[in-house]
Amino acid sequence: MDFSALFSKSNLPYILFEDYYLLVVYKPTGFTVEKHSSYPSLEDFATIHLREAFPENKKYFIGIVHRLDVHVSGIVVMAKTRAALKNLNEQFAQKSVRKIYIAQCEKCPSPRKGTIDGWITEDKISRKA
């Protein structure tokens, strides 16, 4: 697998793959996945892309399949149809999707190998993790 996109220096999102059902986008840090009042979003990026690529269409569907935090870069899969969103949501729910996380460090951590055993909790009032 080529993970070079994960370490891109680009500050703008770009499309890695697209077909009738899916849009796979590189998300740089500083972007949210869903629309947000304080940050640019991949949802807006995808909508603009579809408007430019298919100007004859009047309605566009962007289904958010999963998210990455605003301060994280990575690859995001978005659905372009309701059927694709339903199918992808089922795959994520059944855990048949394989997710890989890679961290880029300035120095080699010690120990070099290990497991992070902890939980991210959500503050229901502020809606933050």
Side-chain angles (χ1 to χ4, degrees):
M1 251 180 169
D2 180 14
F3 295 107
S4 59
L6 292 172
F7 302 110
S8 169
K9 298 294 182 194
S10 175
N11 289 328
L12 296 174
Y14 54 88
I15 296 167
L16 295 164
F17 174 82
E18 181 177 14
D19 65 11
Y20 181 81
Y21 302 99
L22 302 176
L23 194 59
V24 180
V25 180
Y26 167 75
K27 184 196 97 57
T29 59
F31 277 74
T32 61
V33 174
E34 294 178 300
K35 290 182 183 186
H36 192 280
S37 60
S38 301
Y39 297 97
S41 74
L42 284 192
E43 193 171 5
D44 288 334
F45 169 80
T47 301
I48 291 166
H49 163 72
L50 292 176
R51 277 192 199 132
E52 290 174 356
F54 307 101
E56 67 281 0
N57 290 2
K58 299 294 179 216
K59 290 174 78 177
Y60 305 97
F61 179 82
I62 299 295
I64 305 301
V65 178
H66 64 98
R67 292 155 189 80
L68 292 175
D69 290 341
V70 69
H71 302 294
V72 175
S73 64
I75 298 171
V76 175
V77 178
M78 304 172 98
K80 290 172 54 178
T81 69
R82 292 185 195 285
L85 178 62
K86 182 180 178 195
N87 184 284
L88 288 163
N89 282 337
E90 288 170 2
Q91 290 180 52
F92 272 79
Q94 295 168 359
K95 299 194 186 299
S96 62
V97 174
R98 183 173 170 218
K99 297 184 273 184
I100 299 171
Y101 297 90
I102 297 173
Q104 185 176 12
C105 305
E106 285 186 29
K107 293 191 262 180
C108 187
S110 180
R112 294 186 76 165
K113 234 178 173 180
T115 301
I116 297 173
D117 186 19
W119 295 91
I120 296 176
T121 59
E122 181 182 356
D123 182 340
K124 303 261 186 225
I125 296 169
S126 68
R127 297 191 67 211
K128 292 183 179 181

